[in-house]
Amino acid sequence: MSSPQATPVAGEPRGAAQELRAAVRALGRLAVLTLLIPVGVVLATAFLLSFLLWGCLGMFPLFPAVIRRVRSVAGAGRWAAGHWSQVPVPPPYRPRPALERTLHGWYWTGHDYHRNRWFAGMSLDVRWLWNDPATWRDALWLITDPLVGGGIAAGPVLLAGAGLYGVVQAPLPYDLPFGGLSALLLGLLGPVPIAGGLGLARPALRLHGRWTRSLLGPTERSRLARRVEQLTEIRLDATEAQAAELRRIERDLHDGAQARLVAVSLRLGAVAALIDRDPEQAKRVVTDTQENVTQALQELRDLVRGIHPPVLAERGLAEGVRALALDVPLKVEVRTELPGRAEAPVESAVYFAVSEALTNAVKHGDARHATVHLSHTAGLLRAEVTDDGRGGADPGLGSGLRGIQRRLAVFDGTLTLTSPPGGPTRLIMELPCVLSSPRTSSC
């Protein structure tokens, strides 16, 4: 019978093996980064050459071609930092401006006009790449990385390689006495640098990632510029969504309640003409008119519910989603962990996002069961919708998921989608928000 104290001991070799595999993996990645140093040196030389040819001989077409290769290598460095060093480095580049063509056939680059499209595109590229600060940060990284990044990556690799060389050379025969003594020392001390290289591999890999981020990551100025662009896009999306919603309301009123009210007005006119001549017919017309009024009221209630459901305004997001689940033609389980209420616009955005997610589960996923989980943690209002449909959901293939993204983006919210073929589909919506009491809230 094994004692309780034996369990951790049995798990220690497995943990040590995992640590050793992680160290070997990190050392291998550092070796790959070390082998790629000559590529960076060649490309840095090409960059300096293209810069000199442009400045001295005016050969500017070579400059954008080389810069695009530099950006490709820098993108590989960002990928390695994010996937190997676990240091995410988002790209900081400015978007390429659009090339516009005037009514007279000229091309406008944002600075000058050109008749030839190729020359106009080349001029646009040169100006765009030249004015982007990320271009020069890439160039600085390309020139300095063989020294700094290469030194960080090569250190543990050379240390482990020296130890491995000593271990391999120790059994070989030596004629000279001092050679045999040196081989013996190398054989005895060889495991020490190997262990040192393995021990330094993972910290060196993280340090290499931080070095990459220090030059290739977005600066505060670029982050602010990107934030302005995102807010501009969000404002345009919100304006378009609001205009589309107003058009929908106008169409529903025109085709629904307004048409019925016109019919009521005409029937009341007929009643005035029949009330003295044919009272029975007038009663039948009044009964039909009452039915039209009832249907018009129901359509107005449905329209109001589509704009802002009364249960959402009166009882909050949790009860609103529960009421929504009763109207969906599938079995929906709702779990809520909301200690308070959010602002009405935030609740409305989450409510309609959940509604769209459930509608997609029925219409496109052929789901039979769904789960909605509402919670609030660390300043984030979180709504998770999971269904057992066929999966394969893609925001690029339909407007429903893009509509959810635009709706959440107005409040700096995010949408995370997991939908492998065959299901299940899982949507996680998060909005920064501070809950308070059911009467007051601040977001």
Side-chain angles (χ1 to χ4, degrees):
M1 180 181 296
S2 60
S3 61
Q5 291 80 4
T7 303
V9 176
E12 285 179 3
R14 189 162 52 246
Q18 292 176 353
E19 292 292 327
L20 179 60
R21 284 196 297 269
V24 172
R25 188 184 306 115
L27 191 65
R29 290 170 175 174
L30 290 175
V32 173
L33 294 174
T34 303
L35 294 175
L36 291 178
I37 291 176
V39 177
V41 173
V42 172
L43 195 56
T45 305
F47 168 77
L48 295 176
L49 181 61
S50 67
F51 192 76
L52 292 176
L53 290 177
W54 182 17
C56 299
L57 303 178
M59 299 175 61
F60 67 90
L62 186 61
F63 177 76
V66 173
I67 291 299
R68 292 184 186 278
R69 300 297 179 273
V70 171
R71 289 195 171 188
S72 299
V73 174
R78 293 187 186 91
W79 183 91
H83 290 77
W84 289 357
S85 304
Q86 306 303 317
V87 181
V89 185
Y93 303 117
R94 294 177 179 176
R96 182 181 184 272
L99 183 63
E100 302 178 4
R101 186 175 185 180
T102 65
L103 296 176
H104 301 287
W106 290 77
Y107 292 95
W108 170 246
T109 66
H111 183 264
D112 47 15
Y113 291 94
H114 296 279
R115 172 67 72 178
N116 184 273
R117 180 181 178 84
W118 177 87
F119 194 86
M122 185 63 64
S123 176
L124 179 66
D125 287 343
V126 169
R127 186 170 297 277
W128 163 52
L129 295 172
W130 180 271
N131 292 328
D132 192 349
T135 298
W136 306 107
R137 292 174 62 85
D138 286 355
L140 180 61
W141 171 81
L142 190 68
I143 295 173
T144 58
D145 185 66
L147 296 176
V148 181
I152 295 173
V157 175
L158 294 178
L159 189 61
L164 184 62
Y165 175 80
V167 172
V168 172
Q169 291 293 325
L172 298 180
Y174 290 89
D175 296 333
L176 298 177
F178 292 105
L181 180 60
S182 301
L184 179 62
L185 291 176
L186 286 175
L188 294 176
L189 299 179
V192 176
I194 294 177
L198 291 174
L200 293 175
R202 297 174 68 185
L205 192 61
R206 287 193 295 269
L207 181 60
H208 190 277
R210 294 192 184 98
W211 152 254
T212 302
R213 184 174 60 184
S214 66
L215 285 183
L216 297 185
T219 61
E220 187 65 27
R221 183 175 179 180
S222 63
R223 278 193 291 266
L224 289 176
R226 180 57 183 161
R227 182 58 178 161
V228 170
E229 293 175 1
Q230 291 176 346
L231 292 177
T232 302
E233 294 174 359
I234 291 173
R235 184 187 64 184
L236 293 176
D237 290 340
T239 303
E240 292 177 359
Q242 183 181 19
E245 186 70 11
L246 290 176
R247 288 193 297 269
R248 183 188 69 84
I249 295 172
E250 180 184 7
R251 183 176 61 252
D252 291 346
L253 286 174
H254 181 272
D255 298 339
Q258 179 180 340
R260 293 191 180 278
L261 291 176
V262 170
V264 168
S265 176
L266 295 175
R267 288 177 181 272
L268 289 177
V271 168
L274 292 172
I275 196 168
D276 293 330
R277 186 176 69 251
D278 191 352
E280 293 300 326
Q281 180 66 18
K283 288 180 181 180
R284 288 192 293 269
V285 174
V286 168
T287 301
D288 293 340
T289 303
Q290 187 178 8
E291 293 178 358
N292 278 338
V293 171
T294 302
Q295 292 176 358
L297 288 175
Q298 184 61 40
E299 290 177 357
L300 287 175
R301 291 192 186 100
D302 294 340
L303 182 61
V304 170
R305 188 180 297 112
I307 298 173
H308 192 77
V311 65
L312 181 64
E314 296 171 1
R315 306 185 65 179
L317 179 61
E319 297 301 325
V321 171
R322 286 194 178 96
L324 174 66
L326 297 177
D327 297 332
V328 179
L330 76 161
K331 185 178 180 181
V332 181
E333 178 186 355
V334 180
R335 300 195 304 269
T336 61
E337 301 173 10
L338 299 178
R341 292 193 59 176
E343 291 285 354
V346 176
E347 289 187 338
S348 179
V350 176
Y351 174 88
F352 284 108
V354 172
S355 175
E356 182 67 28
L358 294 177
T359 301
N360 290 340
V362 176
K363 185 185 300 184
H364 306 294
D366 295 334
R368 293 175 295 178
H369 181 269
T371 303
V372 180
H373 184 203
L374 302 175
S375 61
H376 185 269
T377 307
L380 289 177
L381 178 60
R382 178 187 175 104
E384 181 177 335
V385 181
T386 306
D387 67 74
D388 61 352
R390 61 170 176 253
D394 185 359
L397 299 179
S399 59
L401 293 174
R402 290 200 301 269
I404 294 176
Q405 289 176 330
R406 289 194 297 265
R407 190 184 295 274
L408 300 179
V410 175
F411 303 94
D412 282 346
T414 59
L415 172 65
T416 304
L417 172 65
T418 304
S419 183
T425 297
R426 183 186 184 193
L427 285 83
I428 299 177
M429 296 163 277
E430 293 181 332
L431 289 84
C433 179
V434 178
L435 299 186
S436 59
S437 67
R439 292 184 178 271
T440 60
S441 66
S442 175
C443 294

